[in-house]
Amino acid sequence: MKKSTKTFIAFCVLVVSLVLIGGTFAYTNIAQRALNMLEGEPSLEYEGRVHDYFDDVSGNKDVFAENFGSEALLTRVKFTELFTQNGVSLVPGGDIDINDPMTWPTWIPGPETGASPSGTEALGTRIGSNAPINAYFHLQLGQATHGTNRPWFLPTFNLDSNSIRTATAGAGVDVETGGATHPGEGTANYWTEGMFDASIMGPPESPEQHETRQVLEQERPPMTFTQWQALGESDRVGHFWVIDQETGWAYWADLLLSGQATSFLLDSKIAQPALSTLKGDGSYQIHAIGQFSVNDSTYLEEFWREDMDSNLNTANGQSIIQTIQDMYR
């Protein structure tokens, strides 16, 4: 049977924080591209957009995903990281090409999988090969405000499912366009209720002004797969992120419905005191990859094929997705 839809769409976002010791300089580079898109007729319209609101001065970095299409989506995001000193990676590895984010080690949060007690939320510090970066930067996961005070965002104007752009605001620089692609300053709580704005990109983006909306409530902080397994079966589907420490993929633990935006996966980067002891030039870079699929096991095969081609264990991810699908049968 011929597949009649785009199997999934993947978005890549690259964020760079450069620190010149003895002075300050901040630079952010954002890129996005669509991968592995199978064409067919008729095609279903299901569209997801990664949002990245970044301000290097304050460290604010809001990463979340929006469904601007009509089909419910399964959503996942992961980060690769690179920290260099004087152009040399802090994390050793013969396969690391500092100019190719796809070769950078994957961010894996703590706690260690065998930790006891395991806790109920993922840590902003890393385990695995990227652990040395903990001395210089931690990540603040999730979102700090809840209920009626949860964050507001401006829906994407880019309604083209084939577009390689992300909704990047503030210090973000889109590689294709040479600048930010989305209104806003990238600072925390920039958007509030009742605000309107228009596209900064112009045609072919939507010419209408958009009004702010709130992201979904964070029902639980981002957690690891092990912590998720400790939940009762009826609690495993909901509005929160589950991070597979085998692969680094963070899965939204529910279908993302039309018009919805996830709670924040990432809220900020936090510089550590040791950063001031570095000599020379330091560069910390985060590469975010987002993927979306309709809720259909046939099309989800592309999720697992990509992972298996990279020799990644897909068992945990498949368990999360299967649990979501079972809830909606």
Side-chain angles (χ1 to χ4, degrees), residues 80-84 89 96-98 104-105 133 283-286:
T80 63
E81 299 179 295
L82 181 72
F83 189 101
T84 61
S89 173
I96 297 175
D97 179 350
I98 63 173
W104 300 347
I133 300 176
S283 170
Y284 172 56
Q285 307 179 57
I286 306 175

Side-chain angles (χ1 to χ4, degrees), residues 104-126:
W104 300 347
T106 300
W107 167 81
I108 305 290
E112 295 284 353
T113 54
S116 181
S118 64
T120 59
E121 59 187 275
L123 303 180
T125 50
R126 306 151 187 84

